[in-house]
Amino acid sequence: MPKTYLNADLHSHSVVSDGTLTPEQLAQRAASKGVELWALTDHDEVGGQHRAAAAAHACGMDYLTGVEISVTFAGATVHIVGLGFDADDAQLSQGLYDTRNGREPRAREMAQQLEAAGIPGSFEGALRFAGNPELISRTHFARFLVETGVCSDTYEVFRKYLTEGRPGYVPHTWSRLRDAVRWIVDAGGVAVIAHPARYNFTANEEYALFTEFKHHGGTGVEVVTGSHRPHEYAIYADMAKEFGLAASRGSDFHSPEESHTDLGDLPPLPSQLTPVWELLHERIQRAQ
């Protein structure tokens, strides 16, 4: 029988992508917050998976492999979380490498725009915050602009510089939805739509996302996550039921200084939903 978890956190980031803690530090923090089942879901990268699993087990937590893949859908960036896959799968690793490959040219263009706006040296500055240079992102630029006093916090940076229509925003074409889902599923995992309320889609666009996602083999959606408000838990619980999707739960934790929600601090999933970890009980790496 699948184990019942009262506190599962299946969405978090380390220095391997755009978090500020190592996989080991994240594991210790999650365990201290009462997390029983944890997943590290770095952006477009699985390089921290073996470290994360070992650290989770050392802290007494069960572990699921994880990743968050950047996808372009309806002209917007959507994130698909993969859980419970083989972290050494060659096709997945190649797909993630190809997805990461466009980040440096994008970052250099962002730096050029920021320099034109009177902020020099941002590429080199952002690179210092990137634990993995292949995954340089807007978050690393934001940290540089805070460090240099241009803005008081990362939220102000995004508002003034790194969102559409602002100097420093550069759109990027990521993976296709069908490819991201296929990489995860073919590697033995489950694909999950991450934080769906963040995308600001119209009702028709959102319906299309869920429909196409399920058509390609996706089977889960984040219902309770750090960027969802309480009324959105109910909205996406209903969407999970409508599309026959399992429900996931994850803080989307990046940093003690920046994240709204700490590891393990979310409310339980709404009742009458199938927790995604029940689909993955044979893929969970047990702590002993």
Side-chain angles (χ1 to χ4, degrees), residues 19 21 38 61 70 102 122 173 196 211-212 248:
L21 302 182
W38 176 54
M61 291 186 297
S70 306
S122 63
T173 300
T211 301
E212 187 170 330
S248 194

Side-chain angles (χ1 to χ4, degrees), residues 24 128 269:
E24 292 80 8
R128 287 192 291 103
L269 289 173

Side-chain angles (χ1 to χ4, degrees), residues 4-10 37 192 220-225 228 230 232-234 236-237 240-241 245-251 265-278:
T4 298
Y5 293 97
L6 298 178
N7 195 342
D9 196 319
L10 304 182
L37 176 64
V192 176
V221 59
E222 280 186 349
V223 172
V224 176
T225 185
H228 281 186
E232 290 165 338
Y233 303 157
Y236 291 101
K241 293 174 188 174
L245 299 174
S248 194
R249 175 184 189 268
S251 58
D265 273 0
L266 292 167
L269 289 173
S271 60
Q272 299 181 325
L273 298 178
T274 300
V276 70
W277 52 88
E278 289 189 5

Side-chain angles (χ1 to χ4, degrees), residues 46 65-67 69 82-96 179-191 280 283 285:
V46 292
T65 53
V67 69
I69 303 179
L83 297 170
F85 51 83
D86 175 5
D88 298 315
D89 182 82
Q91 179 181 255
L92 173 64
S93 296
Q94 184 63 49
L96 296 178
D179 291 337
V181 173
R182 188 187 74 244
W183 298 334
I184 294 163
V185 173
D186 287 354
V190 163
L280 290 161
R283 305 288 300 180
Q285 300 176 34

Side-chain angles (χ1 to χ4, degrees), residues 164-213:
E164 189 169 2
R166 302 293 184 179
Y169 175 77
V170 177
H172 186 81
T173 300
W174 303 109
S175 303
R176 294 181 298 182
L177 178 63
R178 68 180 184 184
D179 291 337
V181 173
R182 188 187 74 244
W183 298 334
I184 294 163
V185 173
D186 287 354
V190 163
V192 176
I193 299 174
H195 41 59
R198 279 180 44 180
Y199 303 130
N200 296 318
F201 282 147
T202 66
N204 285 341
E205 289 170 335
E206 183 174 72
Y207 192 87
L209 170 64
F210 275 71
T211 301
E212 187 170 330
F213 172 75

